[in-house]
Amino acid sequence: MTKILTTDQIRTLDAYTIQHEPVASIDLMERACRAFVEWFIKRADTSRRIGIVCGTGNNGGDGLGIARMLLARHYTVTVWVVEGGKPTADFEANRTRLLGNVILQMIADTPPSTIFDTCDIVIDALFGSGLSRPLEGIYAAVIERINAAAAWRVAVDVPSGLRADAPSQGAIVQAQDTVSFQVPKLAFFFASNAPYVGTWHIVDIGLHKGLLQDTETDHYYVSNDDVHRRWKPRARFSHKGTYGHALLVAGSYGKTGAAILAARALLRAGVGLLTIHTPVRGYAILQQAVPEAMVSIDPFEEYASTLPSSDGYSVIGVGPGLGQADATVKMMRKILETYRKPMVIDADALNILAAHRELLLRVPAGSILTPHPKEFERLAGKTANEFERLEKQKELARQLKSVVVVKGAYTSITSPGGVVYFNTTGNPGMATGGTGDVLTGILTGLLAQSYTSLDAAILGVYLHGLAGDLATHDLGEDSLVASDLVTYLPAAFLKVSGGKS
Ligand SMILES: NC(=O)C1=CN([C@@H]2O[C@H](COP(=O)(O)OP(=O)(O)OC[C@H]3O[C@@H](n4cnc5c(N)ncnc54)[C@H](OP(=O)(O)O)[C@@H]3O)[C@@H](O)[C@H]2O)[C@H](O)CC1
Ligand SMILES: [K+]
């Protein structure tokens, strides 16, 4: 797992590195500038006219150092400094080092709208992790000009105006790319900040490895290696019983497709045996569409009302296309009163829990809940921003002793212990009906194979998004449909298992 640290933790790491490497602060800044420039010159040649907008803190100091290095590589660079804050020592040191290479353009008042017209690229080095309040006045005016420029906007460390660890207000640079030092910031993982952060990139600036390792955090993001470590190869002498028998309670009249998608994904996730419980109207369709599954037929025609005994199943996945009929609510109540093993609860099953809160506390420990933001709001209440929502998500996971997965651009997975894992696969092509049903199937299939609920969630969410990425590679984003995720799931497993699955 790769850590996401707070700005206070990064500051502590800075100070510790300076003291124990040891390295002078200005030389650590030099390392940051060099790391940024190494990244930058791979993406822009010297024909591109560059503007660098600096504050007077260390983010601005980075900007001056970057200017000096790009000038030395024969780039055309214009440097603006927005006057206002007390210059830091490292800013001054880099201002001195830049003397003679370029005339600094000082900005004291609102600049003309044409100020950045001659720039192909604007590098934002106004503010970084030191931002402590909304930007106003001259800073807001300059940011307005930066955002209006037709240039490619690249932010140094953090887009100016964005708080790294808290909700942001006021003027914020809308960067297409953010090049951040050593670790990403929590704000990068919230959909509402995507217009400011753009695509984020991490460059290593050699902060003290030992302390980095020992620094505790509750926030991680998931990489392929992490997921590979969680995937379990199959033993040679195993049989279908080894891989569990899942019960999928899904489908209602007009929404049998959700049950088909979830069932197919469940099977592709490797479950040993699958039984689908569905109303009469779904029986023939499911037997035809998913021949590998057995079907348990509900006495009701159009929606599920009565579960067969839930014994003998390793896991129950409930929700896709279920509907919220009274008889279905009664069935949910019965399941939650009698079944005590982990469940995967999604879609209408979540909405039933939200509408009948006494049922929420009956969720068996070790379950996985998979709400999208709207379903989460119904479960946990409205929140002002994604930071607040994340705290509620941790609280719900703790309360239910279960894993809560909130689906989104960076799906977040919260453990009962309050640790959060941000997924890093997936793409906008997956914003299409049925992808949630596929995820429910994958998670149920993994849980049936005795993955812990946290491993099943981290592995399953990653595989789901990876299948989407592999599908998009061949099909594009516009035409992606939920069934493609099932089709590409085997390829995702092969990638995660290093070809051994
Ligand atoms: N390990 C690393 O990541 C390294 C990062 N580096 C760079 O350093 C910056 C952080 O630099 P810092 O000087 O701490 O802060 P900023 O440059 O972001 O901001 C400068 C000061 O501005 C003041 N401030 C805060 N909010 C506002 C505001 N809304 N309006 C006006 N001024 C504001 C604040 O001072 P106050 O005393 O006023 O609070 C800031 O100190 C990091 O982002 C990297 O770019 C190093 O180069 C190397 C290591
Ligand atoms: K910045």
Side-chain angles (χ1 to χ4, degrees), residues 59 124-128 155-160:
N59 195 246
D124 156 33
L126 204 48
F127 288 95
V156 176
D157 200 31
V158 184
S160 296

Side-chain angles (χ1 to χ4, degrees), residues 151-226:
W152 169 34
R153 292 182 292 277
V154 186
V156 176
D157 200 31
V158 184
S160 296
L162 187 81
R163 298 285 301 278
D165 312 318
S168 302
Q169 287 156 333
I172 308 175
V173 166
Q174 294 161 13
Q176 282 94 347
D177 288 278
T178 295
V179 182
S180 200
F181 300 128
Q182 202 73 55
V183 289
K185 284 57 183 178
L186 183 56
F188 294 3
F189 292 89
F190 294 144
S192 50
N193 292 331
Y196 310 116
V197 178
T199 305
W200 52 266
H201 313 266
I202 299 302
V203 290
D204 186 340
I205 62 170
L207 291 186
H208 197 276
K209 292 270 177 288
L211 185 61
L212 195 51
Q213 213 126 39
D214 297 346
T215 302
E216 292 291 306
T217 179
D218 283 346
H219 303 122
Y220 294 87
Y221 70 96
V222 179
S223 66
N224 194 59
D225 291 354
D226 303 319

Side-chain angles (χ1 to χ4, degrees), residues 350 353-355 357 360 369 371-383 388-397 399-400 404 406:
L350 289 173
L353 295 183
R357 307 204 60 87
L360 193 53
L369 286 74
H372 58 53
K374 197 79 199 121
E375 289 161 344
F376 183 78
E377 189 178 281
R378 287 190 207 109
L379 277 173
K382 276 191 180 318
T383 52
E388 214 182 286
R389 188 180 74 193
L390 189 60
E391 288 314 306
K392 281 195 178 261
Q393 184 182 345
K394 291 178 188 176
E395 187 41 45
L396 185 62
Q399 195 188 9
L400 302 183
V404 178
V406 174

